[in-house]
Amino acid sequence: MARILVIDDSRDTLEMLRVILHERGHHDVTLSTNGKEGLEKAVSEHPDLAIIDVMMPEMTGYEVVGRIRANARIADLPIIILTARGQPVDKIAAMEAGADLHMSKPVDVETLLEQVNVLLGANKKQEGAALFPILSLRGGVGTTTLAVNLALLMQQIKPTVLVDLSPNSGHCAAHLGLKVRTHWGQFKSGTTVAELLQEHTSGLKLLPAPLVPVQDEGLSHQESKALLDKLRRTTQFIVVDMPPTLTQTAQLFLEEAQRIVLVSGDDLPSIQTTRQTAQLLKPYQDRLLLVLNTITPGPHPPAEMLQRALNMPIEVRLAHEAQQIKAIHTGNPLVLGIPTSALTANLQQLTRKLIA
């Protein structure tokens, strides 16, 4: 039995759906007669699925869907748009708003129950693949190195996919010593996820970035969501080397993440950028882990002073490793080449924190 929220300004429709979903489908049903109240219930009650009408006073169904998708706590809520308008343009509008499915009234009872169960089942499958974006909006602080090595450590625990989400010719493949044959941009043209993934000798699978920088964000919101959904069905862990810009695809990955790793250096420009980034990521602060990467040798400011400057705790401080540059140039990541190094130990500590 699932908890289903139904939002519709027609009391007759609400009663009909209550009977279908509760008496026929054996689900626990919450009803709401307007978008504002329905949105509040979605946030406070965390239902397993929502069925939303489009034409409502004060707030349309599309607006409700948009606000749900913008709220990190309920952004992954499966949504069915149910409306009397059944033209192709209405289906497109529902998908662009962020709905998972568009259905026309009058609804067929068996079809509705079948689609509800499909969406509930898909949502359970998604929960099995934990998503870990690695992010910094300042370049040069080691996000790619961190993402590659974390993914390799996670692969030692469970099947893992590393996604290079850069739109500007990413470098995960080079770190792993792989030659790019495919990239995520090809998903747009119908290439399957299985065909896009390239396998490292460790068993880690990589979804590379395009070699040629894309001119726009590359994938639409719906294409990005479809890609992520399919990735989640192929693996147990997903590590994402995030771009240094918050594209709509990047925002979707943040919204759906289990934990988010925010990477910072300990120099003043890095500290400033990290503080600003943390403000942008405030909706996700309960899932945010700050990692301080020591990218240069020599003395460094104490952690206590940096924590005060950043106004957030440092989960792990990564040691400087002189062999890191060699590891990158040879395509042999540090956790494989020097598994006993201090940096590898730090990365193992971070891995445990992420999957705990």
Side-chain angles (χ1 to χ4, degrees), residues 126 129 131 161-166 183-197 206-210 217-235 238 240 249-250 252-253 256:
Q126 289 178 9
L131 179 64
V161 169
L162 172 62
V163 179
D164 189 338
L165 208 56
S166 173
H183 59 82
W184 53 255
Q186 294 169 318
F187 184 74
K188 195 179 188 76
S189 60
T191 308
T192 67
V193 166
E195 292 170 327
L196 293 176
L197 295 176
L206 171 68
L207 178 53
E217 293 192 355
L219 299 176
S220 69
H221 176 85
Q222 287 307 307
E223 289 165 340
S224 299
K225 191 174 190 309
L227 174 63
L228 181 54
D229 289 348
K230 292 181 185 300
L231 283 169
R232 278 181 147 157
R233 296 188 183 106
T234 68
T235 191
I238 302 173
V240 186
T249 301
L252 171 67
F253 276 65
E256 301 222 355

Side-chain angles (χ1 to χ4, degrees), residues 243-263:
T245 54
L246 292 181
T247 64
Q248 65 174 358
T249 301
Q251 290 179 24
L252 171 67
F253 276 65
L254 291 174
E255 289 165 5
E256 301 222 355
Q258 273 60 49
R259 308 300 294 271
I260 301 167
V261 177
L262 177 59
V263 187

Side-chain angles (χ1 to χ4, degrees), residues 134-136 138-147 149 175 261-267 270-271 274 289-298 300-301 306 310 314-322 324-325 328 334 342-344 346-347 350:
I134 315 299
L135 173 71
S136 174
R138 173 176 167 79
V141 295
T143 53
T144 298
T145 300
L146 179 55
N149 283 280
H175 280 240
V261 177
L262 177 59
V263 187
S264 178
D266 58 13
D267 58 293
S270 292
I271 297 298
T274 302
L289 277 73
L290 175 62
V291 171
L292 199 68
N293 194 12
T294 309
I295 55 178
T296 58
H300 293 271
L306 293 170
L310 290 164
I314 297 170
E315 294 290 338
V316 176
R317 188 169 190 172
L318 304 179
H320 174 69
E321 174 53 64
Q324 185 67 280
I325 297 298
I328 294 171
L334 193 78
L343 179 54
T344 298
N346 296 153
L347 291 167
L350 177 57

Side-chain angles (χ1 to χ4, degrees), residues 22-338:
H22 180 65
E23 298 185 13
R24 292 285 301 276
H26 307 293
H27 297 298
D28 184 11
V29 183
T30 299
L31 305 177
S32 178
T33 58
N34 64 78
K36 184 171 184 269
E37 177 193 71
L39 180 61
E40 291 171 353
K41 288 184 176 180
V43 173
S44 62
E45 298 181 17
H46 294 272
D48 299 306
L49 182 141
I51 299 175
I52 305 174
D53 185 33
V54 173
M55 301 305 295
M56 295 184 290
E58 297 185 30
M59 186 184 297
T60 70
Y62 294 149
E63 291 177 287
V64 176
V65 174
R67 295 195 186 190
I68 288 172
R69 294 295 182 236
N71 187 311
R73 295 185 180 276
I74 55 172
D76 60 351
L77 175 67
I79 297 173
I80 297 174
I81 284 285
L82 189 61
T83 174
R85 299 172 61 92
Q87 299 300 314
V89 66
D90 301 306
K91 181 177 181 180
I92 292 171
M95 297 299 103
E96 289 181 344
D100 296 282
L101 183 67
H102 171 276
M103 297 187 72
S104 302
K105 299 177 184 177
V107 65
D108 178 76
V109 173
E110 297 303 326
T111 301
L112 175 62
L113 291 174
E114 179 183 341
Q115 292 301 323
V116 164
N117 290 333
V118 167
L119 285 177
L120 290 171
N123 196 48
K124 288 178 181 177
K125 287 179 184 177
Q126 289 178 9
E127 292 173 358
L131 179 64
F132 305 109
I134 315 299
L135 173 71
S136 174
L137 298 188
R138 173 176 167 79
V141 295
T143 53
T144 298
T145 300
L146 179 55
V148 169
N149 283 280
L150 273 177
L152 286 166
L153 288 174
M154 288 188 179
Q155 174 63 31
Q156 295 173 9
I157 301 168
K158 289 182 180 180
T160 301
V161 169
L162 172 62
V163 179
D164 189 338
L165 208 56
S166 173
N168 299 311
S169 186
H171 302 292
C172 289
H175 280 240
L176 291 165
L178 295 174
K179 184 177 180 180
V180 174
R181 302 190 311 272
T182 58
H183 59 82
W184 53 255
Q186 294 169 318
F187 184 74
K188 195 179 188 76
S189 60
T191 308
T192 67
V193 166
E195 292 170 327
L196 293 176
L197 295 176
Q198 297 182 211
E199 189 166 348
H200 184 255
T201 54
S202 65
L204 174 69
K205 292 182 178 178
L206 171 68
L207 178 53
L211 284 174
V212 178
V214 296
Q215 297 302 312
D216 52 25
E217 293 192 355
L219 299 176
S220 69
H221 176 85
Q222 287 307 307
E223 289 165 340
S224 299
K225 191 174 190 309
L227 174 63
L228 181 54
D229 289 348
K230 292 181 185 300
L231 283 169
R232 278 181 147 157
R233 296 188 183 106
T234 68
T235 191
Q236 294 296 310
F237 296 140
I238 302 173
V239 178
V240 186
D241 184 16
M242 297 283 280
T245 54
L246 292 181
T247 64
Q248 65 174 358
T249 301
Q251 290 179 24
L252 171 67
F253 276 65
L254 291 174
E255 289 165 5
E256 301 222 355
Q258 273 60 49
R259 308 300 294 271
I260 301 167
V261 177
L262 177 59
V263 187
S264 178
D266 58 13
D267 58 293
L268 182 58
S270 292
I271 297 298
Q272 291 175 337
T273 300
T274 302
R275 282 178 59 95
Q276 294 164 352
T277 306
Q279 286 299 310
L280 290 174
L281 301 181
K282 200 166 184 180
Y284 320 115
Q285 62 183 358
D286 60 329
R287 292 177 278 156
L288 203 61
L289 277 73
L290 175 62
V291 171
L292 199 68
N293 194 12
T294 309
I295 55 178
T296 58
H300 293 271
E304 294 78 9
M305 185 178 78
L306 293 170
Q307 286 183 142
R308 287 196 299 271
L310 290 164
N311 196 31
M312 61 186 303
I314 297 170
E315 294 290 338
V316 176
R317 188 169 190 172
L318 304 179
H320 174 69
E321 174 53 64
Q323 295 299 311
Q324 185 67 280
I325 297 298
K326 181 180 178 181
I328 294 171
H329 288 166
T330 59
N332 186 30
L334 193 78
V335 297
L336 299 180
I338 315 179

